[in-house]
Amino acid sequence: MKAMPATGGTDTSPYTDADRELQIATCALLLDSAHADNEFTPEEGRKIEQLMRGHFALSEEAFHEIKKLSEKKLKGSIDLWQFAKTIKEQYSYQQKKKIIEMVWAVIYADATLDAHEDYLVHKLSTVLNIDHRELIDAKLKILGQKKAP
């Protein structure tokens, strides 16, 4: 699936239900990553907005709508499996690697790595069938220690 065109979040949205489901799942994973250390910083919030708007070509209004829906779904969920499953089923391996990069970017938005955050991204990479080497490459890329291929 490619990044989708921007929308104003109206009923005439060009997104399909599957597109919207993927946007919500991605946002939910990013939000949960930001909350993994029990502290949601303004930097993490800005990073999530930047990543979501860039990845899905969302307008500001559309992003806030997706974020609201994601927060609601997160509150009603037991774990992240439903969100990871959506991404696993709809994304290619390369696209799933991009999601892992996005998770690392949110985690490092506040310049710290908490043990819960580290555990979460490792567990997520396992669920998404991302090779451990690719997980570490994504981390190093976000940290600026490795150039993208």
Side-chain angles (χ1 to χ4, degrees), residues 2 72 85 99-100:
K2 296 179 182 174
K72 183 178 178 182
K85 181 176 183 253
I99 296 298
I100 292 296

Side-chain angles (χ1 to χ4, degrees), residues 90-141:
Q90 295 189 36
Y91 263 170
S92 70
Y93 187 79
Q94 292 301 319
Q95 291 167 317
K96 289 186 281 187
K97 281 184 3 183
K98 178 63 179 167
I99 296 298
I100 292 296
E101 282 181 22
M102 292 167 70
V103 170
W104 278 124
V106 169
I107 287 171
Y108 279 110
D110 62 2
T112 61
L113 175 62
D114 177 85
H116 296 292
E117 294 169 326
D118 192 52
Y119 173 80
L120 177 68
V121 72
H122 278 80
K123 183 72 172 170
L124 182 57
S125 71
T126 300
V127 170
L128 296 179
N129 296 321
I130 300 297
D131 180 72
H132 187 263
R133 182 72 238 157
E134 300 276 4
L135 172 69
I136 300 306
D137 286 348
K139 177 181 180 179
L140 295 176
K141 179 179 177 184

Side-chain angles (χ1 to χ4, degrees), residues 21-129:
E21 184 181 353
L22 186 57
Q23 293 166 354
I24 290 168
T26 301
C27 191
L29 290 178
L30 296 179
L31 288 168
D32 202 64
S33 298
H35 287 284
D37 62 357
N38 293 318
E39 184 180 342
F40 188 84
T41 67
E43 295 85 7
E44 289 168 328
R46 284 190 292 274
K47 181 55 78 173
I48 290 170
E49 181 172 0
Q50 173 196 11
L51 292 167
M52 286 295 297
R53 289 186 66 193
H55 187 71
F56 293 105
L58 296 171
S59 68
E60 184 176 353
E61 181 183 339
F63 164 71
H64 288 292
E65 179 183 327
I66 294 295
K67 183 180 177 208
K68 227 186 276 186
L69 291 168
S70 299
E71 289 169 337
K72 183 178 178 182
K73 287 204 176 228
L74 271 170
K75 285 180 185 172
S77 70
I78 296 171
D79 59 29
L80 295 178
W81 171 247
Q82 71 188 52
F83 308 113
K85 181 176 183 253
T86 298
I87 290 168
K88 184 177 180 177
E89 290 174 351
Q90 295 189 36
Y91 263 170
S92 70
Y93 187 79
Q94 292 301 319
Q95 291 167 317
K96 289 186 281 187
K97 281 184 3 183
K98 178 63 179 167
I99 296 298
I100 292 296
E101 282 181 22
M102 292 167 70
V103 170
W104 278 124
V106 169
I107 287 171
Y108 279 110
D110 62 2
T112 61
L113 175 62
D114 177 85
H116 296 292
E117 294 169 326
D118 192 52
Y119 173 80
L120 177 68
V121 72
H122 278 80
K123 183 72 172 170
L124 182 57
S125 71
T126 300
V127 170
L128 296 179
N129 296 321

